[in-house]
Amino acid sequence: MKMTVMQRRTFLAGAPALLQADTRPNILLILTDQQTHTALSCAGNPWVKTPAMDSIANGGVRYTEAYATYPVCSPSRGSIFTGAMPHRTGVRENGKSIVAGMPTMGDLFQAAGYETVYGGKWHLPKGFDGMTGFTRLIGGSALGKDMDEPLADRCAQWLRANARRTAPFLMVSSFMNPHDICQWIRDHKGSRGYDNPDLYPPAPGNMAVDPAEPEMMQYHRTAGYDLMSQAVGIASEWKRDDVRFYLHDYYRMVEDVDRQIGKVLTALRETGLHRNTVIAFASDHGEGMGAHRWAQKAAFWEETAHVPFFLTGPGIAPAVDRTRLVTLADILPTLCDHAGIAAPKSLEGESLRRPTGRTHIAAELRFGSAEREGRMIRTARYKYVSFSGGENAEQFFDLQFDPGETNNLVRRPEASGALDEHRRLLRSRIASTGDDFRRV
């Protein structure tokens, strides 16, 4: 939703003075949709080839412990573009707008004198034209197979046409794939035809469903509320070869979008703009990958909530950061820091250029209504999940020894101390952030 005239005047009055144009970097934010953290060849996955994404990761910092603030498209994107958690942005489900008056990435960079351009999927208001602070390069469409190539071509065209500009730019290239897997799942319901199973990736080792799975997750598997739950229901019936077939085609969608990202990076390099451009790459959330017989998103599993995030550009030394806990709400303050823009002090996200005392990150989720909500706390070793109701309302996993999340420790006496500490972390976070999450 756009700012009112008075809100924009108030915001601009407090904007920082412009730095010298030739000292500020350009910013390129590349987003994919529904790409899990392991769907990359730079992550050691032999079943997918992602040379364009790898070039970003290898040229800068690959943060291996990055998470969505909410493992569904619109709420996650609300956090990416505001640096705030979904309970503050007001985006609790797909297609909703960011609350009026909350500055977005486009507002902040535009006020600081950046040329701000956006291409591809937006998905915050129901119509693209409700976005704030950006000029639209090209809109989105329902399927990546129709959208991603025109998007890449348009972004590359704009870069070549603006190679000699003096003012810095912020470009967002927001690709759709591998999101097409959503439609693939519905199209292949009941399919049992395989050309050459020997070429398909192995099924995950954590396909079993916990018989004490939280009731709200069971609800999403069965009754559900939209097409997301329909896909989870389909995946629940899959055999191991069905999962292998699905993973094979999912990885092809990842490779498709990687080729399009390569076009944008080629244009950046051929124009010389790469020498003064900070590039951030992320996906808004992951994909179920058949783990726990779950497909698509809307869960706190590692496959659905854990995402890729890379940062490269001038002054960023190559590294793989395996310890820092990162949230997609960190993207806005980090990019503002690189651009010399003062981000709002109320953000939950933090600049990754600065040292931090952060001990945990959080995520949110809603299954169709305020009566069915969940929260996640991720610390260095553990993941704690709490839902708002049900006899099995909690999950607690030791990710150091159980990365596949197959052993819920909630009822294990030896885990009681660590579990209570994570419960306290969640209560403290709720109180300090004004979160309205409540256990029934």
Side-chain angles (χ1 to χ4, degrees):
M1 186 176 293
K2 293 183 178 179
M3 290 185 179
T4 65
V5 173
M6 184 59 68
Q7 288 167 338
R8 185 171 289 277
R9 286 175 178 169
T10 301
F11 172 67
L12 293 177
L18 298 184
L19 303 176
Q20 292 295 320
D22 60 356
T23 68
R24 295 184 294 168
N26 304 309
I27 306 291
L28 172 61
L29 172 58
I30 299 174
L31 297 174
T32 59
D33 195 307
Q34 207 152 316
Q35 183 177 353
T36 194
H37 66 296
T38 58
L40 297 148
S41 45
C42 66
N45 189 331
W47 298 99
V48 63
K49 303 300 180 186
T50 52
M53 299 175 197
D54 293 355
S55 71
I56 304 172
N58 296 333
V61 182
R62 177 164 69 94
Y63 295 94
T64 69
E65 304 305 313
Y67 287 79
T69 61
Y70 188 125
V72 175
C73 300
S74 292
S76 177
R77 289 164 183 270
S79 293
I80 290 171
F81 290 106
T82 65
M85 296 297 287
H87 73 267
R88 288 190 55 222
T89 67
V91 186
R92 306 284 192 104
E93 56 188 279
N94 276 341
K96 299 297 184 182
S97 299
I98 297 167
V99 295
M102 181 173 283
T104 69
M105 182 184 293
D107 293 320
L108 291 163
F109 276 80
Q110 188 179 74
Y114 269 71
E115 176 81 10
T116 55
V117 294
Y118 195 109
K121 179 173 178 174
W122 175 240
H123 209 191
L124 285 164
K126 292 184 177 178
F128 185 95
D129 291 335
M131 70 189 305
T132 61
F134 287 101
T135 297
R136 180 170 69 170
L137 286 178
I138 186 171
S141 66
L143 293 174
K145 68 180 183 65
D146 300 323
M147 173 184 133
D148 287 351
E149 184 172 6
L151 167 62
D153 292 344
R154 182 67 185 93
C155 289
Q157 179 187 41
W158 190 94
L159 290 169
R160 290 190 167 95
N162 289 271
R164 297 185 180 278
R165 61 179 297 109
T166 56
F169 64 81
L170 162 66
M171 172 184 282
V172 179
S173 299
S174 181
F175 292 90
M176 178 66 77
N177 263 326
H179 188 278
D180 284 6
I181 197 65
C182 298
Q183 186 59 44
W184 186 98
I185 293 167
R186 293 187 286 271
D187 289 344
H188 290 77
K189 181 179 180 180
S191 175
R192 298 292 185 272
Y194 313 112
D195 295 330
N196 190 347
D198 291 340
L199 299 178
Y200 299 151
N206 58 343
M207 277 184 62
V209 178
D210 184 354
E213 182 179 72
E215 288 85 350
M216 291 185 184
M217 297 181 69
Q218 294 174 8
Y219 164 84
H220 190 66
R221 286 185 188 275
T222 54
Y225 65 99
D226 60 12
L227 291 175
M228 283 190 289
S229 55
Q230 181 188 88
V232 177
I234 294 170
S236 295
E237 302 298 322
W238 281 346
K239 307 300 183 185
R240 298 189 73 82
D241 277 350
D242 298 316
V243 175
R244 296 177 64 203
F245 184 33
Y246 141 82
L247 291 176
H248 173 274
D249 282 16
Y250 174 73
Y251 288 144
R252 303 296 76 75
M253 295 171 195
V254 173
E255 292 176 344
D256 285 345
V257 72
D258 185 78
R259 281 189 285 272
Q260 302 310 322
I261 290 170
K263 293 181 182 179
V264 179
L265 297 180
T266 296
L268 198 73
R269 184 177 62 254
E270 289 180 349
T271 57
L273 289 168
H274 68 290
R275 289 189 287 269
N276 192 39
T277 300
V278 171
I279 305 172
F281 169 84
S283 194
D284 57 356
H285 55 78
E287 164 60 37
M289 307 298 284
H292 317 282
R293 296 191 182 274
W294 198 275
Q296 292 198 0
K297 48 253 183 180
F300 292 123
W301 299 122
E302 285 293 279
E303 293 80 5
T304 49
H306 196 165
V307 295
F309 179 56
F310 319 142
L311 195 66
T312 190
I316 301 174
V320 179
D321 191 328
R322 302 184 186 279
T323 59
R324 186 163 185 166
L325 293 172
V326 173
T327 169
L328 294 185
D330 295 336
I331 290 177
L332 175 58
T334 299
L335 297 183
C336 283
D337 198 354
H338 277 281
I341 297 171
K345 296 185 181 300
S346 60
L347 301 186
E348 284 92 352
E350 61 183 29
S351 172
L352 299 178
R353 299 184 78 193
R354 314 290 169 179
T356 178
R358 175 187 276 170
T359 61
H360 66 279
I361 55 174
E364 306 176 9
L365 183 60
R366 174 179 288 184
F367 288 128
S369 74
E371 288 72 40
R372 292 185 291 272
E373 290 210 47
R375 296 293 184 268
M376 181 194 87
I377 296 291
R378 169 75 159 90
T379 57
R381 178 172 173 177
Y382 296 100
K383 180 189 288 183
Y384 171 65
V385 172
S386 177
F387 288 99
S388 54
E391 292 185 9
N392 300 309
E394 294 177 297
Q395 295 175 300
F396 189 53
F397 299 106
D398 184 341
L399 296 181
Q400 180 178 341
F401 294 102
D402 181 26
E405 299 171 297
T406 61
N407 184 19
N408 186 358
L409 301 175
V410 166
R411 292 180 174 83
R412 298 291 292 271
E414 66 272 22
S416 61
L419 174 60
D420 286 343
E421 175 58 27
H422 284 72
R423 288 167 173 160
R424 287 192 291 271
L425 281 174
L426 178 57
R427 289 195 298 268
S428 175
R429 183 177 182 88
I430 289 170
S432 64
T433 64
D435 190 355
D436 57 1
F437 176 72
R438 297 291 181 272
R439 289 287 298 275
V440 176

